Amino acid sequence: MGTTLQSLSALLQRSTINDHEEIIKACNVILKKSRNDVEAQHIKTIALIKLDRFDDAIRVIEEGGDTLKKRLPLERSYALYKSGKLDEATAIATSIGSGRGAKHVEAQASYRAESFDRTGKIYQDLLRDETASTEELTDLQINITATEAQRIWAGQSSSIGDLVPKRENLDVFETAYNVACEHIARGHYEKARMLLKRSKALCQASDELSPEDKEAELLPIIIQEIYVYLRQGKLEEADALIGPINPADITESSTKIVAENHALLTTHRNLNPYLKYKSFSSTSRPNDNDKLFFYQNDILTRNAYVIDLLVQKFDGVSRSTSKTLSQHPSTTLSSDTNSLAVFNAAAHTQGAEGKSAIKKISSLVETRPHDLGLIFVLVQLHVANGNINAAISTLEEFSKRVESTSDDSSLRVRFSPGLVNILVTLYKTQGRKHHINSELSKAAKYWQKKDPSSQPIQLLRAAAISLFNSHDSSDISTAAEIFAHLHSIDDTDRIATAGFVASHAITSPALVESSVKTLSPVQQLIADVNVTALEEAGVQLPTSTTIASLNQGQKRRAPDAETKRSKRVRKAKNMDPNEKVDPERWLPLRDRSSYRPRGKKGKQKAADRTQGGVVNEKTEDGNGSSTPAKGGSQVIGGGSGARKKKGKGKK
């Protein structure tokens, strides 16, 4: 043991902080003489971790047995985390105790395992600890914003939003980058682009980073900036950024994969489909040490299907997607499953459009009646074809099938805000107010029975407002219940409070008396409104409202005298201004005084028009024809009956 300590002492005297390779060589010399030397194994493990040789560090710890494992639990957990063995890393970090280092490792492992709820809770506990240093607090803020961005990308609700730093205090480039990622996940690309520029500027101005470190840190920022430009359709800006980047020089696997896929959409976008397929097939694939997140893998899978469809590999896409879809026979809101249904539908249509595509998808729906993704494809095809009634019928039939199952997971899909919104929007295009209120009422009644934390507040608000504007007393009663429910959940919600007061003000004024005081007085709301000016200017209805009003049978308001268009007076051709105008010029020819009938029939017709002639009695009783009696004439009341031809053989 003395020899080991003496050798280590000499080693440390010769080495510097960056001489990890030399330390490992010296440890190997000692371990050849004493294989179970714990001190040498300990130092070698640390050196390997410093060199990012995590698999080798794990191997040394395993060779050291329980003694070394008990001595280096934190290092072992960290090495396992960096090697992609997340479950083992989390279990060991949890068993260590309340140490801050172990908590950080546990949070990092949970983050990579996409357990963002657990990650957020750990960071909340660490942030509340008053013993944290200023540097650690900065790291915590960076990690919290990264976790928040991942939660949004994963489609999860925010649980640590109150811990995210204020936007005006984003003076660290990592924090600015993570907040930009949040905006990207929400689809706010312009805000994201501004924050990415800020992040780049802060990184370039940092005095703590070497030129090499700056280059490494700037690369993922630029990659995200390229993505934002692509989403905005600014291909030239994306080309300019990706041009200097050589994906082959990128060492981080996940960043390299994203960069290569961006290149397919920028510099390689004009390649023919078969060359693009070849380029995509040669891109990198994730490894265990640097795994992509689930949503990233999902996007890569979709890209692969798009490329396959471009090169007409319809059968392959159909078989692959059908195999996965067969494992999910029930209806689901999973975006990855429903997107597979879209690719499956595209493969079955094989590029067909219009009615041909509708016919093929309709037959496919019969085999998968609960496939929400497939239903949406069929609805979209009907809408694109201009057949709104068919689109509505498709959604209504799907809704009835799902409701008949009485399975709560299926009912969650049936009354999901997205599905309800699509059906309500289709109803609106046809002015079906009763159907809209019925749909919103059913959805609201379903969600009111669920846990408040899982209730879609926006859907409940929309339902309450729409039902309250109805003329049906049952709808108004339902709206009052929804407003009361929303107000009980959050009495600071001004929309819910206003609706609660409005719906109960007449029936139960005492119930809303305290709530009225929390709302802004009417005098305050209309203080800046100039009523006189409004009355003088009149109220101009929006074009869409005007059209809707006209469709409902409302009369168009007469235009002002100044705006009336004068009718154009048509002048007669070759008119002599000195000649007297015939006063009977507007009368039919036979009614003019100058008209003289010609022939036997013409004279008979003229006699029939003479007043005082004999009237046919059959005409008087209303059952006879208008033909005049022989030997006399009759008064003609006008109309087509007098001009009706006689049948053959009659005189």
Side-chain angles (χ1 to χ4, degrees):
M1 188 68 178
T3 305
T4 301
L5 293 174
Q6 188 176 13
S7 301
L8 287 173
S9 178
L11 171 65
L12 293 173
Q13 288 177 2
R14 296 197 313 269
S15 64
T16 65
I17 195 170
N18 294 320
D19 272 341
H20 304 301
E21 292 286 358
E22 294 297 324
I23 292 174
I24 292 172
K25 290 178 182 179
C27 289
N28 288 336
V29 172
I30 296 171
L31 291 172
K32 283 183 180 180
K33 297 178 181 179
S34 178
R35 183 177 180 181
N36 296 323
D37 192 314
V38 178
E39 295 293 338
Q41 290 173 333
H42 184 163
I43 295 173
K44 183 178 180 180
T45 301
I46 301 300
L48 289 169
I49 291 175
K50 293 285 188 180
L51 292 171
D52 294 343
R53 293 169 56 180
F54 304 109
D55 291 332
D56 292 335
I58 294 171
R59 180 178 52 78
V60 172
I61 294 173
E62 293 295 331
E63 291 175 354
D66 293 339
T67 303
L68 191 59
K69 290 178 182 178
K70 291 179 181 179
R71 176 183 280 205
L72 301 174
L74 181 59
E75 289 79 0
R76 182 188 176 201
S77 176
Y78 181 75
L80 288 168
Y81 149 66
K82 296 297 288 185
S83 297
K85 300 173 182 178
L86 304 177
D87 293 337
E88 295 179 61
T90 303
I92 295 171
T94 305
S95 65
I96 293 175
S98 58
R100 298 187 69 81
K103 289 293 183 184
H104 276 284
V105 175
E106 182 184 356
Q108 290 286 348
S110 299
Y111 176 85
R112 288 301 307 166
E114 303 188 46
S115 180
F116 302 120
D117 287 333
R118 183 174 186 174
T119 306
K121 186 177 183 303
I122 295 171
Y123 283 139
Q124 284 178 342
D125 295 338
L126 289 170
L127 197 62
R128 294 191 185 102
D129 192 343
E130 297 179 356
T131 62
S133 63
T134 304
E135 184 178 353
E136 185 182 1
L137 288 174
T138 301
D139 291 340
L140 284 172
Q141 293 284 15
I142 294 171
N143 293 341
I144 285 170
T145 51
T147 305
E148 178 73 356
Q150 292 296 343
R151 289 184 65 87
I152 301 171
W153 260 317
Q156 302 176 11
S157 59
S158 173
S159 65
I160 56 174
D162 56 330
L163 299 179
V164 178
K166 300 296 183 182
R167 300 299 190 261
E168 60 268 17
N169 296 328
L170 299 177
D171 54 357
V172 180
F173 78 89
E174 294 99 332
T175 307
Y177 170 78
N178 289 334
V179 176
C181 291
E182 290 181 38
H183 285 296
I184 294 173
R186 291 190 173 98
H188 304 160
Y189 299 116
E190 192 59 31
K191 292 181 180 179
R193 189 170 62 85
M194 299 304 294
L195 281 169
L196 289 172
K197 285 189 174 182
R198 177 182 177 84
S199 179
K200 282 199 303 183
L202 290 170
C203 180
Q204 292 168 339
S206 176
D207 297 331
E208 300 176 357
L209 298 175
S210 64
E212 294 78 12
D213 292 337
K214 287 182 181 181
E215 185 177 350
E217 295 289 354
L218 284 171
L219 183 60
I221 301 174
I222 295 172
I223 295 297
Q224 287 288 41
E225 196 173 9
I226 293 170
Y227 176 77
V228 170
Y229 278 130
L230 287 172
R231 296 293 294 180
Q232 291 182 316
K234 299 178 179 180
L235 300 182
E236 293 181 359
E237 291 85 345
D239 276 340
L241 285 177
I242 204 168
I245 298 175
N246 183 7
D249 297 335
I250 302 175
T251 57
E252 192 177 45
S253 174
S254 58
T255 304
K256 184 176 183 178
I257 293 170
V258 175
E260 289 173 338
N261 277 266
H262 285 351
L264 287 173
L265 298 172
T266 52
T267 56
H268 299 161
R269 66 179 180 274
N270 294 323
L271 292 176
N272 70 61
Y274 296 95
L275 287 176
K276 190 170 290 188
Y277 174 82
K278 181 179 179 181
S279 299
F280 181 79
S281 301
S282 63
T283 56
S284 306
R285 291 293 178 264
N287 55 53
D288 292 336
N289 294 342
D290 190 14
K291 294 180 179 179
L292 294 174
F293 288 97
F294 176 80
Y295 72 89
Q296 291 176 314
N297 274 319
D298 187 45
I299 293 174
L300 283 180
T301 302
R302 297 181 195 182
N303 289 349
Y305 284 133
V306 170
I307 297 291
D308 288 345
L309 290 172
L310 287 175
V311 296
Q312 301 183 13
K313 298 180 68 173
F314 301 122
D315 292 339
V317 174
S318 178
R319 286 194 302 269
S320 176
T321 52
S322 296
K323 182 179 179 181
T324 306
L325 290 171
S326 63
Q327 301 172 3
H328 304 278
S330 301
T331 184
T332 178
L333 290 174
S334 172
S335 60
D336 57 313
T337 302
N338 289 325
S339 65
L340 287 181
V342 176
F343 288 111
N344 183 265
H348 275 84
T349 59
Q350 297 187 2
E353 298 179 357
K355 294 182 179 179
S356 176
I358 291 173
K359 185 177 180 180
K360 292 181 179 181
I361 300 302
S362 297
S363 62
L364 200 59
V365 168
E366 294 178 1
T367 62
R368 302 206 307 268
H370 295 284
D371 191 329
L372 181 61
L374 197 59
I375 293 296
F376 281 158
V377 171
L378 185 56
V379 169
Q380 180 64 32
L381 288 173
H382 281 310
V383 172
N385 202 41
N387 195 343
I388 303 298
N389 285 329
I392 292 174
S393 298
T394 301
L395 276 181
E396 288 179 337
E397 291 171 4
F398 171 78
S399 300
K400 291 178 182 178
R401 288 195 298 268
V402 174
E403 289 178 29
S404 65
T405 62
S406 300
D407 178 57
D408 188 63
S409 60
S410 298
L411 290 176
R412 280 184 174 270
V413 176
R414 164 64 185 92
F415 296 112
S416 61
L419 181 57
V420 172
N421 182 42
I422 292 173
L423 191 51
V424 167
T425 301
L426 292 174
Y427 283 146
K428 281 184 177 180
T429 61
Q430 297 189 335
R432 301 189 188 182
K433 292 185 177 181
H434 175 72
H435 289 79
I436 292 172
N437 289 337
S438 176
E439 177 69 13
L440 291 173
S441 178
K442 287 194 296 184
K445 289 178 180 178
Y446 170 79
W447 285 111
Q448 280 181 275
K449 300 175 183 177
K450 301 302 174 185
D451 183 66
S453 61
S454 64
Q455 292 178 0
I457 302 300
Q458 296 292 341
L459 174 60
L460 293 175
R461 283 179 182 171
I465 294 171
S466 178
L467 293 170
F468 189 65
N469 290 325
S470 172
H471 297 291
D472 192 330
S473 59
S474 61
D475 288 344
I476 297 174
S477 177
T478 303
E481 293 177 5
I482 299 172
F483 277 129
H485 174 73
L486 292 172
H487 182 66
S488 65
I489 295 175
D490 183 10
D491 58 2
T492 63
D493 185 345
R494 298 180 66 83
I495 296 177
T497 303
F500 175 64
V501 170
S503 57
H504 291 82
I506 298 177
T507 58
S508 307
L511 183 64
V512 299
E513 186 176 353
S514 59
S515 299
V516 172
K517 298 177 181 178
T518 64
L519 297 175
S520 301
V522 176
Q523 292 78 6
Q524 180 180 342
L525 295 175
I526 64 173
D528 298 331
V529 178
N530 190 335
V531 179
T532 304
L534 287 176
E535 288 180 346
E536 292 176 353
V539 180
Q540 178 66 40
L541 295 176
T543 304
S544 59
T545 306
T546 305
I547 294 174
S549 300
L550 291 174
N551 290 338
Q552 294 173 9
Q554 295 182 8
K555 294 182 179 179
R556 188 189 298 271
R557 188 177 63 180
D560 297 336
E562 294 81 10
T563 60
K564 285 185 177 180
R565 295 178 59 183
S566 57
K567 292 184 179 180
R568 182 167 60 92
V569 179
R570 303 181 67 177
K571 296 181 179 180
K573 295 182 179 180
N574 304 322
M575 180 179 177
D576 186 358
N578 299 321
E579 185 178 350
K580 185 178 180 180
V581 179
D582 185 4
E584 297 181 348
R585 64 187 182 281
W586 304 117
L587 296 176
L589 183 63
R590 65 175 179 272
D591 293 337
R592 300 181 188 179
S593 58
S594 59
Y595 175 68
R596 298 290 182 270
R598 295 180 181 181
K600 183 178 180 180
K601 291 183 178 180
K603 293 179 179 179
Q604 179 64 40
K605 289 181 180 179
D608 291 343
R609 285 195 290 271
T610 304
Q611 288 184 340
V614 179
V615 179
N616 192 336
E617 294 180 357
K618 290 184 179 180
T619 306
E620 292 296 322
D621 61 14
N623 297 322
S625 66
S626 57
T627 306
K630 292 182 179 180
S633 62
Q634 73 178 68
V635 177
I636 303 300
S640 60
R643 302 175 62 85
K644 188 174 180 179
K645 292 183 179 180
K646 295 181 180 180
K648 291 184 178 180
K650 292 185 179 181
K651 295 183 180 178

